[in-house]
Amino acid sequence: MVHVTSSAAHAPPTEDTEANRRGSGRRARSRDRLMDRASQPYAPNPELAKIRHVENLMMFIDDDLRETALSMERIERYLISTLEMLEADHLVRADVHALATDLDVLDQIDLLNENLESLRRRVARLAHVL
């Protein structure tokens, strides 16, 4: 297997990019930002701040976003485990069987579907009140 890396992706940050990152106050990874909204204060969107009685809906949307991201992360871990097993020097029948019969990943797919449906319904309600 050949790994190709971009020099830009691994280049040290310049002064400009460091200043912009710090100035923005935003974390780089979307997943981190999703999780931060549950535990850290954040400035509300100015357009949403003008709408009355939208706070609870936004809390539910935030929750749906986090739950969806967590399900996706768990599914991704299963995919990575499967890939690592396929790329291993030796295949162990028990490990292959464990991955093949892992029902937890199917539960996560069901949760992902439920969370996405809930998120879509709530975003539609938000669109209605805008």
Side-chain angles (χ1 to χ4, degrees):
M1 179 200 276
V2 176
H3 293 282
V4 179
T5 58
S6 165
S7 61
H10 297 296
T14 64
E15 243 179 76
D16 287 338
T17 58
E18 279 296 306
N20 288 339
R21 185 183 64 78
R22 279 192 293 259
S24 71
R26 295 183 67 170
R27 292 178 53 165
R29 290 182 44 203
S30 298
R31 187 175 302 152
D32 292 338
R33 293 195 328 262
L34 285 169
M35 298 305 160
D36 286 350
R37 289 174 65 97
S39 60
Q40 298 179 9
Y42 60 91
N45 179 300
E47 292 296 315
L48 291 175
K50 296 176 189 175
I51 302 170
R52 293 173 48 101
H53 309 295
V54 75
E55 297 84 9
N56 285 342
L57 179 59
M58 292 307 301
M59 285 191 317
F60 285 122
I61 288 173
D62 281 341
D63 188 51
D64 287 339
L65 285 168
R66 282 188 300 278
E67 291 298 322
T68 300
L70 288 171
S71 289
M72 290 173 59
E73 180 180 350
R74 291 172 184 137
I75 293 166
E76 181 182 34
R77 275 188 284 193
Y78 175 82
L79 297 174
I80 290 168
S81 294
T82 303
L83 180 61
E84 288 172 348
M85 181 262 313
L86 292 172
E87 292 177 339
D89 291 336
H90 302 290
L91 288 177
V92 177
R93 182 182 185 94
D95 294 342
V96 176
H97 185 264
L99 283 168
T101 58
D102 184 356
L103 297 180
D104 289 339
V105 72
L106 296 177
D107 291 340
Q108 289 306 314
I109 291 171
D110 290 341
L111 282 172
L112 176 63
N113 188 45
E114 290 173 24
N115 289 322
L116 281 173
E117 282 300 317
S118 179
L119 178 61
R120 290 179 62 238
R121 281 192 308 274
R122 289 185 172 124
V123 170
R125 284 179 35 202
L126 179 61
H128 181 73
V129 299
L130 287 179

